[in-house]
Amino acid sequence: NKAAILKAYTEYDITDYEVADVKVILLGKEAAVLSYKLTLKGKSAPPSPVYATSVWARRDNRWVVVLHQQTR
């Protein structure tokens, strides 16, 4: 539920972040896989780091996320 996820992030006090270990794998001209490690910092930041992977696809000449997964 997108609304619940966005609401949860408004309750955090994130003051800094770091994105590391970024990797992009192109799957032709119309798709790609992006993976990275995200560390959030702040008084009430969510547990981190998280390791995330997203699959992106070109739709109507725009890049959109078609799948996202993250784990601690």
Side-chain angles (χ1 to χ4, degrees):
N1 176 322
K2 182 178 178 179
I5 292 169
L6 292 175
K7 182 181 181 303
Y9 272 89
T10 63
E11 297 169 1
Y12 295 122
D13 181 16
I14 298 169
T15 58
D16 197 12
Y17 66 93
E18 178 183 351
V19 178
D21 302 329
V22 177
K23 295 180 183 121
V24 176
I25 300 169
L26 296 176
L27 306 173
K29 294 180 180 180
E30 303 297 320
V33 176
L34 168 68
S35 66
Y36 55 92
K37 174 183 168 185
L38 174 65
T39 303
L40 300 171
K41 299 173 185 166
K43 283 195 298 189
S44 63
S48 67
V50 295
Y51 301 89
T53 302
S54 299
V55 178
W56 291 75
R58 187 181 292 267
R59 303 258 171 92
D60 298 323
N61 211 27
R62 295 180 36 207
W63 286 99
V64 296
V65 175
V66 294
L67 174 81
H68 178 79
Q69 183 278 330
Q70 68 184 39
T71 187
R72 287 189 259 163

